[in-house]
Amino acid sequence: MMFKIDPPKIPHSAWKRPIGKGWEKPYTVRYQSNLDDGPWHGMPLGGFGAGCIGRSSKGDFNLWHLDAGEHIFKSLPVCQFSVFEQQEGETPLVYAMSTEPPEDGSLSRWRWYPQAKGTYHALYPRSWFSYEGVFKSQLYCEQFSPIWPDNYQETSYPVAIFEWTAHNPTDRPITLSIMLTWQNIVGWFTNAIASPEVTVRDDGSPEYPYQPRWGDSTGNLNQWIQDNFRVGFLFSRVQLRDEIQEGEGQIAIASITNPSIEAFHLGRWNPHSDGADVWDYFAMDGSLPDKEDETPAGPGEQIAAAMAIRFTVRPGKTRKIPFIISWDFPITEFAKDIRYFRRYTDFFGRNGKNAWSVIRTALKNVDVWQEKIQKWQNPILERSDLSANFKMALFNELYLLTDGGTIWTSATENDPVGQFGVLECFDYRWYESLDVRLYGSFALAMLWPRLDKAVLEAFARAIPTVDNTPRIIGYNQASAIRKAFGATPHDLGAPNEHPWEKTNYTSYQDCNLWKDLSSDFVLQVYRDFLLSGSQDTDFLWECWSAITQTLAYLKHFDRDNDSIPENGGAPDQTFDDWELKGISAYCGALWIAALEAAVKIGEILRDNPPKNPTLKLKNDPDAIAEYISTYKSYLEQARPLYQDKLWNGEYYRLDSESNSDVVMADQLCGQFYTQLLNLPDVVDRPLVASTLEKIYDACFLKFHNGKYGAANGVKPDGSPEKPDATHPLEVWTGINFGLAAFMLQTGMKEEAFKITEAVIKQVYENGLQFRTPEAITTDGQFRASHYLRAMAIWSIYYVLTEA
């Protein structure tokens, strides 16, 4: 008699891929200097700012973001699960659960799982392997980390949970053994170049060399741990100094044992061998020789360990076995001697010896963590008005909060949840680019608002700073200072310097000249105040002096004193290869929206004096009325001027001086924000509708029949103004999601989701999953993978929930 059981509840909307199935023609990178690892990216595992690891849909571990801000994509075949299965009297089936053997010929004794025998599913922060057509057992592996909204503790943990489920559908018992092998990689994840030299790449962006200590295992040792019902290995390194350094710490792998489960181990073996020391035991009966060896690795030596959990599943029954991988690398070092503790050390200590404490916590709470994730996701997944594709991308685009070189420091009195940052991307390796996060920060603002406010407070502190260091600008080779007083910085710095303290790392353009950053800052501050309940006036007070300073700075670019700053001809906004001249639709609308937000913020603060003495010292409440009056006077002149200079009867012209008829997709971003924040409109609503209809027609429908998404800017017939243009002819994922949210606001629901679905399809059908790029081109290329702006998909969900 056959028995049936439902598999784990894998959501229908999870992204799916046959295990080990490749891509015939994955999209490739546009510029050879940019990052292109190929399509084998799976959902990353690990907490925000803790570092993360990744396991691809072929089953190998290949992503190692354990040094904050640095990217390593390289398969380590020894880091692997293997499965033994046998029914009495029959030949066992034994496989390492990756579809691809090592390229270097090592582990030649091992047998690798066949391709396309099952399905990989991903719905961040959970992913699953469903193995089919090989074993008699029904086998599943669910992978996740404890990440859910409004959680500022577990979301930081350096841990990955792998819950194996085995069901016996036959009429005879099945013996199974699950083995986890792991290489001791402690000490590999820090830059061997003490003071890397910054150079300028061929695309004009600054970069620096990163040389991890990959393979440097001297002094590494493996310790077998038996801790009540917990068993596993602790991987560490002989520590030569009392004070822990970056890259030092521990990794642990663990599972459980009880009277019905057997645990086996092998404490030390050579991962570059044929693997017989491990495989011959395991393939025979699912066991290991139970040998311990804590001898540290010698120079040039590599060591690994193996553990196996063997159990029997009776007919019709199901067993679940958890495996946990944790790590504890408490220090992030940026420039030499600039060190921060990671956020999770607030809960586990800072000596680098807490990987096993993380294991204990995980095994105790794994069920609770799963429930909290499901409680968050299920209401969205159960919505019948949202497509499966949209729900899939909505969650999966959050991957970047784990994967994006994320930093999250321990708490201080000034920063009670720590300081936070996500890279713009790994090609543009600097944190929290403000123009990009205008759309890209919606996810953080909605789900972890205290972290988003921490980012904006860091910008507020940076606005009054000055850095007169001269630099050569990549775009035109001009010389410019790094940071001017009152200018809103473009970014919060880079991993090789001192984030939060040394801002404006990028030097492709002189961002002191940009005409969108000041407005972007003001709008995000007011947005976060509203999204977090409209009560946190202390947050507004923290940002108020910076708001007044940066609006005054931007007003200085108003050449003719008509109350709208002019663009200067060189690209001076987020589309930094696209020249705008005079009053521009894009920057002008953002300026008007920011003035309205500043007026509203001023009125709120006028009625809510600061209670905190420090905030009283930093601000002059008596001056608020004057600022409100000034901003209102600018608005009185700016709004009609904007309309008169730019409206052409169908849409808003690109700018007032270039005589271009290009339809810019993001021209009314400022209007989107005023509608979002319930501020007075930049332009009249009928003109908004006309403009969006024109954008939809020209930039989407007439641009390759809507296959790729909306182009940034084309002529009204969908053709390019300049065939060799870069940014105008790219489809920017985040801009498209922001545009869709704007259309949704305006009642264009069908059009909004056609654009959204087109972009989702481009990403998830062409090998770009979990490395979503900034830009896609019509010839199957992309630019700037792992990009921050794509989290703008959450702006669509916000508009849906607020409608």
Side-chain angles (χ1 to χ4, degrees), residues 196-208:
E197 181 184 357
V198 177
T199 57
V200 177
R201 204 169 52 214
D202 60 0
D203 65 357
S205 297
E207 65 174 353
Y208 62 89

PDB file of all heavy atoms in Angstrom, residues 196-208:
ATOM      1  N   PRO A 196      44.712  49.449  -0.311  1.00  0.00           N
ATOM      2  CA  PRO A 196      44.499  49.326  -1.758  1.00  0.00           C
ATOM      3  C   PRO A 196      44.435  50.690  -2.444  1.00  0.00           C
ATOM      4  O   PRO A 196      43.811  51.629  -1.943  1.00  0.00           O
ATOM      5  CB  PRO A 196      43.166  48.597  -1.862  1.00  0.00           C
ATOM      6  CG  PRO A 196      42.482  48.817  -0.555  1.00  0.00           C
ATOM      7  CD  PRO A 196      43.571  48.927   0.465  1.00  0.00           C
ATOM      8  N   GLU A 197      45.088  50.790  -3.575  1.00  0.00           N
ATOM      9  CA  GLU A 197      45.130  52.043  -4.321  1.00  0.00           C
ATOM     10  C   GLU A 197      43.866  52.217  -5.154  1.00  0.00           C
ATOM     11  O   GLU A 197      43.419  51.286  -5.832  1.00  0.00           O
ATOM     12  CB  GLU A 197      46.351  52.053  -5.246  1.00  0.00           C
ATOM     13  CG  GLU A 197      46.492  53.335  -6.062  1.00  0.00           C
ATOM     14  CD  GLU A 197      47.655  53.278  -7.028  1.00  0.00           C
ATOM     15  OE1 GLU A 197      48.379  52.257  -7.018  1.00  0.00           O
ATOM     16  OE2 GLU A 197      47.833  54.239  -7.805  1.00  0.00           O
ATOM     17  N   VAL A 198      43.292  53.405  -5.097  1.00  0.00           N
ATOM     18  CA  VAL A 198      42.094  53.700  -5.876  1.00  0.00           C
ATOM     19  C   VAL A 198      42.511  54.113  -7.286  1.00  0.00           C
ATOM     20  O   VAL A 198      43.368  54.970  -7.471  1.00  0.00           O
ATOM     21  CB  VAL A 198      41.268  54.818  -5.215  1.00  0.00           C
ATOM     22  CG1 VAL A 198      40.050  55.167  -6.073  1.00  0.00           C
ATOM     23  CG2 VAL A 198      40.829  54.399  -3.820  1.00  0.00           C
ATOM     24  N   THR A 199      41.890  53.480  -8.279  1.00  0.00           N
ATOM     25  CA  THR A 199      42.136  53.833  -9.676  1.00  0.00           C
ATOM     26  C   THR A 199      40.797  54.143 -10.330  1.00  0.00           C
ATOM     27  O   THR A 199      39.732  53.941  -9.730  1.00  0.00           O
ATOM     28  CB  THR A 199      42.835  52.694 -10.430  1.00  0.00           C
ATOM     29  OG1 THR A 199      42.038  51.504 -10.321  1.00  0.00           O
ATOM     30  CG2 THR A 199      44.217  52.419  -9.849  1.00  0.00           C
ATOM     31  N   VAL A 200      40.837  54.622 -11.566  1.00  0.00           N
ATOM     32  CA  VAL A 200      39.617  54.951 -12.294  1.00  0.00           C
ATOM     33  C   VAL A 200      39.435  53.933 -13.413  1.00  0.00           C
ATOM     34  O   VAL A 200      40.325  53.718 -14.236  1.00  0.00           O
ATOM     35  CB  VAL A 200      39.666  56.375 -12.867  1.00  0.00           C
ATOM     36  CG1 VAL A 200      38.409  56.665 -13.690  1.00  0.00           C
ATOM     37  CG2 VAL A 200      39.793  57.384 -11.734  1.00  0.00           C
ATOM     38  N   ARG A 201      38.278  53.292 -13.418  1.00  0.00           N
ATOM     39  CA  ARG A 201      37.959  52.260 -14.391  1.00  0.00           C
ATOM     40  C   ARG A 201      37.660  52.884 -15.752  1.00  0.00           C
ATOM     41  O   ARG A 201      37.480  54.095 -15.872  1.00  0.00           O
ATOM     42  CB  ARG A 201      36.746  51.470 -13.877  1.00  0.00           C
ATOM     43  CG  ARG A 201      36.595  50.070 -14.403  1.00  0.00           C
ATOM     44  CD  ARG A 201      35.535  49.316 -13.629  1.00  0.00           C
ATOM     45  NE  ARG A 201      34.285  50.048 -13.548  1.00  0.00           N
ATOM     46  CZ  ARG A 201      33.463  50.003 -12.503  1.00  0.00           C
ATOM     47  NH1 ARG A 201      33.782  49.289 -11.447  1.00  0.00           N
ATOM     48  NH2 ARG A 201      32.337  50.682 -12.503  1.00  0.00           N
ATOM     49  N   ASP A 202      37.545  52.037 -16.776  1.00  0.00           N
ATOM     50  CA  ASP A 202      37.324  52.549 -18.129  1.00  0.00           C
ATOM     51  C   ASP A 202      35.995  53.275 -18.291  1.00  0.00           C
ATOM     52  O   ASP A 202      35.814  54.040 -19.227  1.00  0.00           O
ATOM     53  CB  ASP A 202      37.444  51.422 -19.169  1.00  0.00           C
ATOM     54  CG  ASP A 202      36.439  50.301 -18.952  1.00  0.00           C
ATOM     55  OD1 ASP A 202      35.638  50.382 -18.005  1.00  0.00           O
ATOM     56  OD2 ASP A 202      36.458  49.333 -19.742  1.00  0.00           O
ATOM     57  N   ASP A 203      35.040  53.051 -17.377  1.00  0.00           N
ATOM     58  CA  ASP A 203      33.775  53.780 -17.469  1.00  0.00           C
ATOM     59  C   ASP A 203      33.778  55.032 -16.584  1.00  0.00           C
ATOM     60  O   ASP A 203      32.736  55.656 -16.374  1.00  0.00           O
ATOM     61  CB  ASP A 203      32.602  52.875 -17.112  1.00  0.00           C
ATOM     62  CG  ASP A 203      32.619  52.409 -15.656  1.00  0.00           C
ATOM     63  OD1 ASP A 203      33.570  52.749 -14.930  1.00  0.00           O
ATOM     64  OD2 ASP A 203      31.676  51.704 -15.254  1.00  0.00           O
ATOM     65  N   GLY A 204      34.944  55.405 -16.044  1.00  0.00           N
ATOM     66  CA  GLY A 204      35.063  56.633 -15.266  1.00  0.00           C
ATOM     67  C   GLY A 204      34.753  56.486 -13.798  1.00  0.00           C
ATOM     68  O   GLY A 204      34.777  57.474 -13.062  1.00  0.00           O
ATOM     69  N   SER A 205      34.476  55.261 -13.329  1.00  0.00           N
ATOM     70  CA  SER A 205      34.133  55.048 -11.929  1.00  0.00           C
ATOM     71  C   SER A 205      35.368  54.675 -11.121  1.00  0.00           C
ATOM     72  O   SER A 205      36.232  53.931 -11.601  1.00  0.00           O
ATOM     73  CB  SER A 205      33.103  53.922 -11.806  1.00  0.00           C
ATOM     74  OG  SER A 205      31.897  54.269 -12.444  1.00  0.00           O
ATOM     75  N   PRO A 206      35.464  55.158  -9.876  1.00  0.00           N
ATOM     76  CA  PRO A 206      36.596  54.756  -9.036  1.00  0.00           C
ATOM     77  C   PRO A 206      36.447  53.304  -8.594  1.00  0.00           C
ATOM     78  O   PRO A 206      35.351  52.807  -8.375  1.00  0.00           O
ATOM     79  CB  PRO A 206      36.497  55.705  -7.843  1.00  0.00           C
ATOM     80  CG  PRO A 206      35.058  56.094  -7.771  1.00  0.00           C
ATOM     81  CD  PRO A 206      34.560  56.091  -9.189  1.00  0.00           C
ATOM     82  N   GLU A 207      37.582  52.621  -8.471  1.00  0.00           N
ATOM     83  CA  GLU A 207      37.580  51.264  -7.966  1.00  0.00           C
ATOM     84  C   GLU A 207      38.892  51.009  -7.233  1.00  0.00           C
ATOM     85  O   GLU A 207      39.849  51.769  -7.360  1.00  0.00           O
ATOM     86  CB  GLU A 207      37.407  50.245  -9.099  1.00  0.00           C
ATOM     87  CG  GLU A 207      38.555  50.226 -10.092  1.00  0.00           C
ATOM     88  CD  GLU A 207      38.434  49.125 -11.124  1.00  0.00           C
ATOM     89  OE1 GLU A 207      37.533  48.287 -11.010  1.00  0.00           O
ATOM     90  OE2 GLU A 207      39.270  49.104 -12.045  1.00  0.00           O
ATOM     91  N   TYR A 208      38.908  49.927  -6.453  1.00  0.00           N
ATOM     92  CA  TYR A 208      40.126  49.557  -5.739  1.00  0.00           C
ATOM     93  C   TYR A 208      40.248  48.035  -5.768  1.00  0.00           C
ATOM     94  O   TYR A 208      39.254  47.314  -5.878  1.00  0.00           O
ATOM     95  CB  TYR A 208      40.088  50.074  -4.297  1.00  0.00           C
ATOM     96  CG  TYR A 208      38.969  49.504  -3.465  1.00  0.00           C
ATOM     97  CD1 TYR A 208      39.122  48.324  -2.731  1.00  0.00           C
ATOM     98  CD2 TYR A 208      37.724  50.133  -3.416  1.00  0.00           C
ATOM     99  CE1 TYR A 208      38.089  47.796  -1.982  1.00  0.00           C
ATOM    100  CE2 TYR A 208      36.681  49.626  -2.662  1.00  0.00           C
ATOM    101  CZ  TYR A 208      36.871  48.450  -1.946  1.00  0.00           C
ATOM    102  OH  TYR A 208      35.839  47.928  -1.215  1.00  0.00           O
TER     103      TYR A 208
END
